[in-house]
Every structure is written in C-alpha cells, then in structure tokens.
Amino acid sequence: VIINLLINAHDAVGENGIITVKTWHRKNRTYLAVEDNGSGISAEIIHNIFNPFFTTKTRGTGLGLAVSKRIDKEHGGDLIVESTSGEGSAFTLGL
C-alpha cells in the first residue's frame, strides 16, 4: 500500500515536486500520510479514484488505489484522500 501511494505521488509531481511522508499515533491508531504538491485530483473525478480500473494515467491498470483500499480495510484500517486540483494530494492510511 505504501509503495503504491509513493509511486502515485511520484507520478503526480514534476521534476521539482515534493513528496512528504508523515506518521503519528493517536488513540490506539497509527497513521501514515503520503502528501505531494503535484497536480491534485479534480472534484469531478475524486469520487472514482478507489474504483477498480479507474485511471487518468496513460499506463497502468487502475487497480492500485482500489487494491490498496481493500488491503487497508482488511487490516481494520481506512485509506482516505484529501486533494485540491492544482495544489496536490494527501493520502492517509490509518490502522
């Protein structure tokens, strides 16, 4: 899951992009966030990004985020996204 989030962040940022990984623990849950200052995700498509085979990339199958969300859920967690088009995204994995 973490590798997939890092690959997606890398694909979203340009040559001078910034990817930040943060971790924290609160109330018996551990969180990991992968944040980037890339292109962000538009409001028109953000509700589809965890659907199998949905992709905006020219390569890949569109399964990465769907599988990541399922794996996280199977471990009692949740994968959420916050994004602003043109400013970047943050994917937070909570376990």
Side-chain angles (χ1 to χ4, degrees):
V1 172
I2 296 167
I3 290 171
N4 183 63
L5 295 177
L6 290 169
I7 289 169
N8 285 351
H10 178 266
D11 290 347
V13 300
E15 283 186 31
N16 298 317
I18 297 171
I19 299 170
T20 305
V21 178
K22 298 178 182 179
T23 60
W24 66 96
H25 185 81
R26 184 177 24 206
K27 295 185 180 180
N28 297 325
R29 287 186 68 81
T30 299
Y31 299 89
L32 181 136
V34 176
E35 302 174 355
D36 68 67
N37 67 342
S39 55
I41 305 166
S42 72
E44 293 82 23
I45 66 167
I46 199 163
H47 63 280
N48 290 315
I49 63 168
F50 294 113
N51 293 338
F53 305 109
F54 178 81
T55 185
T56 60
K57 298 178 182 180
T58 57
R59 65 187 201 324
T61 61
L63 289 174
L65 287 174
V67 170
S68 294
K69 183 137 179 120
R70 190 196 72 211
I71 290 169
D72 189 38
K73 190 171 201 157
E74 287 176 359
H75 287 87
D78 193 26
L79 178 60
I80 61 168
V81 61
E82 297 175 61
S83 187
T84 303
S85 187
E87 294 183 19
S89 301
F91 285 82
T92 303
L93 172 69
L95 293 169

